[in-house]
Amino acid sequence: MALHKPVMTVQQHILLEQKRFPGASGEFSFLLSGITLATKMIQAQVRRAGLTDLLGSYGETNVQGEVQQKLDVYANEALLDNLRVRESVGVLASEENERPLMVHGSSPNAKYAVIFDPLDGSSNIDVNVSVGTTFSILKRAEGSSLDDSSSWLLQPGSQQVAAGYVVYGSSTMMVYTVGNGVHGFTLDPAVGAYVLSHENIRMPAQGPYYSTNEAYRDTFPRADQEYIERLRTGKLGRNYSSRYIGSMIADFHRTLLKGGVFLYPPTSTSPDGKLRLLYEANPVAMIAEEAGGAAWSGSQRILDIVPKTIHQRTALAVGGQVEMDEYKRCLAEFGEA
Ligand code: P6P
């Protein structure tokens, strides 16, 4: 009887996947290894935050006007430091940085832009709630100029070559796609490797949960209010339970695995929606669609939105086919947001 159970690490998986990219000479897997290394460093700090002086606010506000948590700054630096040494990376854009960084824009090998939210939901860290890192990878658009980062970044989400997230929850798990299915890897702390644990994740066509911040419900657009009423009153042929963690990646991860819908519609305080298009909605939308679900703003498919600015916000509804078909019906009946 074999004692050693073969494992598939995320690095092995990425190498196999990148064979699908013509001309990828290991640079793509080297790029993704920068993200996996950075997220291992981040998780090591997240897990010990109460024991170090990394809890609490950093005392500055970021471009979003949000008070930066110390762990936000640490996570951002870990990702920037690990990715800027990958020559295939031309541009780095982060939720924590007002402007993108041109890192190897002048190198002919610089093909990719990496956009990320280093620690989404960080306001929950002090109370030990799951947080996450999101990332989106775009290929430099043909003819884009080497020193104009917007031509690298302001592409619709349908142009992403890869997207994913790490959820720092009861376990640390990386979920990613390169357009060939969605795969989940659980970090094995004993060996420090992300090991394949959820191959080819499929989002259930319908699920048991809806997830939104009901405190704002009265300020949602009419279509979203009607939609939630239909979920609550069994109009989709089943009862729903409400789950809301207040950390997008945790709420989305549950929706991906168990089904249902997560939505953050426009509100009176966030009339364009709160979530950011490039590094929250787009990666989540690519994963959702790859897993058989759908992701919409209040008016269109998320992946069709052509961004105007790198930090622009969007409404987001993401879930299984049944929930999302009903959402689109509500938009059609009650007008788009
Ligand atoms: P609210 C976290 O701050 C975040 O950006 C997302 O992770 C989360 O889904 C949302 O905000 C929660 O916002 O208004 O419900 O507290």
Side-chain angles (χ1 to χ4, degrees):
M1 178 192 75
L3 296 179
H4 170 262
K5 179 169 167 282
V7 295
M8 168 68 77
T9 66
V10 71
Q11 295 310 340
Q12 290 162 332
H13 196 271
I14 291 168
L15 280 168
L16 293 174
E17 287 290 297
Q18 81 151 20
K19 287 189 172 32
R20 300 178 58 247
F21 288 78
S25 56
E27 61 195 9
F28 192 70
S29 55
F30 185 51
L31 187 166
L32 280 171
S33 71
I35 295 173
T36 53
L37 177 57
T39 58
K40 288 180 198 174
M41 297 161 83
I42 294 166
Q43 79 90 29
Q45 295 304 327
V46 166
R47 301 260 172 255
R48 301 177 61 248
L51 301 173
T52 64
D53 66 350
L54 273 175
L55 272 182
S57 75
Y58 182 64
E60 296 182 21
T61 55
N62 62 15
V63 62
Q64 322 292 343
E66 294 166 347
V67 175
Q68 281 185 308
Q69 302 299 305
K70 288 178 187 169
L71 269 173
D72 282 329
V73 175
Y74 175 86
N76 194 41
E77 289 170 357
L79 281 156
L80 292 174
D81 292 346
N82 276 291
L83 286 167
R84 64 163 51 102
V85 297
R86 265 74 182 165
E87 196 180 341
S88 63
V89 175
V91 176
L92 289 171
S94 167
E95 192 247 9
E96 296 295 334
N97 295 78
E98 182 168 2
R99 280 182 291 282
L101 284 72
M102 295 297 287
V103 281
H104 293 292
S106 55
S107 157
N109 301 325
K111 288 184 193 156
Y112 302 106
V114 185
I115 313 156
F116 53 87
D117 184 354
L119 211 52
D120 178 71
S122 55
S123 54
N124 293 302
I125 290 171
D126 291 3
V127 292
N128 220 11
V129 165
S130 301
V131 291
T133 295
T134 66
F135 62 90
S136 166
I137 302 177
L138 291 165
K139 210 165 180 181
R140 182 165 96 191
E142 285 309 311
S144 66
S145 67
L146 291 178
D147 57 4
D148 169 17
S149 59
S150 57
S151 59
W152 294 59
L153 297 168
L154 302 183
Q155 303 179 56
S158 55
Q159 297 303 304
Q160 293 174 101
V161 291
Y165 61 85
V166 174
V167 53
Y168 309 103
S170 48
S171 65
T172 296
M173 191 168 153
M174 170 172 277
V175 175
Y176 90 110
T177 183
V178 292
N180 184 32
V182 175
H183 310 287
F185 300 80
T186 300
L187 182 66
D188 179 344
V191 297
Y194 282 109
V195 175
L196 183 63
S197 53
H198 297 66
E199 187 164 21
N200 199 23
I201 299 172
R202 303 299 296 164
M203 189 187 284
Q206 187 171 19
Y209 303 121
Y210 76 88
S211 180
T212 193
N213 189 331
E214 306 241 17
Y216 309 143
R217 205 168 85 194
D218 295 345
T219 71
F220 287 169
R222 178 76 199 286
D224 295 275
Q225 293 190 30
E226 171 64 23
Y227 177 61
I228 290 167
E229 202 48 33
R230 293 184 186 180
L231 291 168
R232 295 178 69 244
T233 55
K235 296 291 186 303
L236 277 68
R238 66 159 299 147
N239 293 325
Y240 281 85
S241 184
S242 171
R243 289 281 189 285
Y244 191 69
I245 301 170
S247 190
M248 179 199 69
I249 285 303
D251 281 317
F252 173 69
H253 187 64
R254 181 201 56 247
T255 306
L256 176 68
L257 295 186
K258 301 292 184 191
V261 61
F262 165 76
L263 59 159
Y264 202 115
T267 65
S268 51
T269 48
S270 303
D272 298 323
K274 177 179 182 184
L275 302 176
R276 277 61 62 121
L277 175 62
L278 264 65
Y279 41 82
E280 287 177 321
N282 274 346
V284 154
M286 181 179 185
I287 287 177
E289 290 198 2
E290 269 298 312
W296 272 58
S297 72
S299 57
Q300 60 183 331
R301 179 176 173 251
I302 288 284
L303 296 181
D304 289 339
I305 301 175
V306 179
K308 295 184 178 61
T309 61
I310 65 168
H311 296 297
Q312 80 180 56
R313 297 175 189 266
T314 179
L316 173 67
V318 57
Q321 281 306 335
V322 171
E323 286 89 3
M324 291 307 292
D325 286 349
E326 188 64 30
Y327 185 66
K328 292 174 215 171
R329 272 192 286 276
C330 287
L331 290 177
E333 287 175 44
F334 293 91
E336 298 172 348

Tab-separated table of all heavy atoms in Angstrom, residues 15 29 55 89 108 277 303 320 330 337:
chain	number	residue	atom	x	y	z
A	15	LEU	N	1.521	25.197	-14.217
A	15	LEU	CA	2.414	24.792	-15.324
A	15	LEU	C	1.636	24.002	-16.373
A	15	LEU	O	1.767	24.214	-17.571
A	15	LEU	CB	3.578	23.957	-14.772
A	15	LEU	CG	4.711	24.764	-14.134
A	15	LEU	CD1	5.653	23.845	-13.371
A	15	LEU	CD2	5.476	25.566	-15.206
A	29	SER	N	3.514	31.104	-15.295
A	29	SER	CA	3.516	30.367	-14.018
A	29	SER	C	4.431	31.083	-13.020
A	29	SER	O	4.135	31.143	-11.833
A	29	SER	CB	3.985	28.926	-14.236
A	29	SER	OG	5.238	28.926	-14.856
A	55	LEU	N	-2.275	44.621	14.101
A	55	LEU	CA	-3.711	44.908	14.142
A	55	LEU	C	-3.909	46.422	14.154
A	55	LEU	O	-2.982	47.161	14.451
A	55	LEU	CB	-4.333	44.312	15.427
A	55	LEU	CG	-4.826	42.860	15.361
A	55	LEU	CD1	-5.456	42.452	16.680
A	55	LEU	CD2	-5.809	42.664	14.227
A	89	VAL	N	5.742	41.168	-15.901
A	89	VAL	CA	4.744	42.122	-15.414
A	89	VAL	C	5.120	43.526	-15.874
A	89	VAL	O	6.233	44.003	-15.605
A	89	VAL	CB	4.662	42.095	-13.870
A	89	VAL	CG1	3.715	43.183	-13.357
A	89	VAL	CG2	4.191	40.722	-13.393
A	108	PRO	N	10.371	44.369	-23.570
A	108	PRO	CA	9.520	43.672	-24.534
A	108	PRO	C	8.881	42.415	-23.926
A	108	PRO	O	7.878	41.930	-24.392
A	108	PRO	CB	10.481	43.305	-25.670
A	108	PRO	CG	11.852	43.434	-25.117
A	108	PRO	CD	11.780	44.435	-23.998
A	277	LEU	N	-14.780	47.706	-9.850
A	277	LEU	CA	-14.918	46.895	-11.052
A	277	LEU	C	-13.664	46.071	-11.329
A	277	LEU	O	-13.727	44.837	-11.467
A	277	LEU	CB	-15.232	47.780	-12.258
A	277	LEU	CG	-15.286	47.080	-13.617
A	277	LEU	CD1	-16.390	46.026	-13.654
A	277	LEU	CD2	-15.456	48.094	-14.749
A	303	LEU	N	-18.590	41.525	-17.212
A	303	LEU	CA	-17.387	41.360	-18.056
A	303	LEU	C	-17.436	42.176	-19.349
A	303	LEU	O	-16.450	42.255	-20.063
A	303	LEU	CB	-17.152	39.868	-18.366
A	303	LEU	CG	-16.836	38.992	-17.156
A	303	LEU	CD1	-16.610	37.541	-17.586
A	303	LEU	CD2	-15.639	39.508	-16.356
A	320	GLY	N	-25.951	31.801	-9.151
A	320	GLY	CA	-26.262	30.689	-10.043
A	320	GLY	C	-27.253	31.099	-11.124
A	320	GLY	O	-27.881	32.162	-11.047
A	330	CYS	N	-36.137	40.881	-13.265
A	330	CYS	CA	-36.502	42.054	-12.454
A	330	CYS	C	-35.950	43.335	-13.082
A	330	CYS	O	-36.625	44.373	-13.113
A	330	CYS	CB	-35.981	41.900	-11.025
A	330	CYS	SG	-36.909	40.700	-10.059
A	337	ALA	N	-30.809	49.818	-13.057
A	337	ALA	CA	-30.426	50.774	-11.994
A	337	ALA	C	-29.968	52.082	-12.643
A	337	ALA	O	-29.370	52.047	-13.704
A	337	ALA	CB	-29.285	50.175	-11.178
